[in-house]
Amino acid sequence: EAKKGTRYTQEAAIDLANLYISCGSDMFAARAEVMARHPESRESASSIHMKLSKIRTLDTHYDNDTEWKVDRQVSEILQGIDPERFLA
């Protein structure tokens, strides 16, 4: 299990954002896909879900669905992927 505060690599965070989008914004499907692709990962299911929740917080398709303090890494990645869909 990942240590509290473990920071995702840029590559892992980008992969997670892209999986969120390709899974139709289904956080549970994206989490399952991440865990299937990276069984050796130190990240727990809870940690992955938390990162996905931060992505969801900035997704304008789901206003007020969830609200998390979003780190700069997530914000910058999402702005690079789709600045009209994801809030800065």
Side-chain angles (χ1 to χ4, degrees), residues 15-79:
D15 187 45
L16 194 57
N18 285 322
L19 281 172
Y20 170 83
I21 294 167
S22 69
C23 287
S25 307
D26 182 330
M27 295 192 305
F28 296 99
R31 182 180 70 190
E33 184 66 25
V34 169
M35 294 181 82
R37 286 186 185 189
H38 306 286
E40 77 293 346
S41 175
R42 293 178 26 211
E43 300 298 340
S44 66
S46 177
S47 172
I48 295 166
H49 193 80
M50 184 173 68
K51 196 73 163 180
L52 287 164
S53 294
K54 291 177 180 185
I55 293 169
R56 175 77 128 222
T57 295
L58 298 178
D59 189 346
T60 59
H61 292 180
Y62 297 92
D63 289 341
N64 302 315
D65 181 62
T66 186
E67 190 165 329
W68 287 74
K69 181 178 179 188
V70 178
D71 54 69
R72 188 171 67 179
Q73 181 187 41
V74 168
S75 180
E76 288 175 356
I77 288 168
L78 295 173
Q79 282 294 293

Side-chain angles (χ1 to χ4, degrees), residues 7-15 43 51 73 77:
R7 182 167 167 84
Y8 281 73
T9 65
Q10 191 73 358
E11 180 182 348
I14 290 168
D15 187 45
E43 300 298 340
K51 196 73 163 180
Q73 181 187 41
I77 288 168

